Amino acid sequence: MPSKDRPLVDRHAPKDGEGWLLSTEQQKVCRFRNDMPTAHAKWVVVETRPLRGSGQPVVRRMLRHNAIEAWETMQKSGGWKRCPPRW
């Protein structure tokens, strides 16, 4: 993304490798956080849960480069927006 299109201040910058996305349309929140790296790869845990109610979270473990791609794709085409931590 060109620097002229970026906001001057990132209000919800990931802390310690953790970031949150919110979809009001799907009523879900998604948490990305770094997992323990192995000798061969860096991993990210992606947890998706309902915004309201007591539904079970869906937890996936992804390679870091796949998680970055998922993060970017969700924001571009899925109606997901960055948000402050929820839990």
Side-chain angles (χ1 to χ4, degrees):
M1 173 171 20
S3 60
K4 67 180 176 87
D5 295 332
R6 291 187 182 175
L8 296 177
V9 176
D10 188 1
R11 290 178 171 33
H12 309 298
K15 303 288 187 222
D16 299 322
E18 183 173 301
W20 294 78
L21 294 176
L22 170 70
S23 173
T24 53
E25 181 180 303
Q26 296 181 26
Q27 292 294 304
K28 291 184 180 180
V29 65
C30 190
R31 174 185 182 193
F32 288 74
R33 66 180 163 89
N34 288 331
D35 198 13
M36 296 297 292
T38 63
H40 303 288
K42 292 183 179 178
W43 294 92
V44 174
V45 173
V46 180
E47 181 179 340
T48 306
R49 60 175 60 220
L51 195 55
R52 291 175 177 59
S54 59
Q56 291 292 323
V58 176
V59 180
R60 294 172 297 213
R61 192 170 180 233
M62 305 172 83
L63 289 171
R64 187 174 189 276
H65 69 276
N66 290 338
I68 291 170
E69 185 177 328
W71 174 274
E72 292 171 351
T73 301
M74 288 170 76
Q75 288 186 79
K76 288 179 185 174
S77 63
W80 293 82
K81 304 290 183 202
R82 292 178 98 169
C83 68
R86 294 284 179 164
W87 290 275

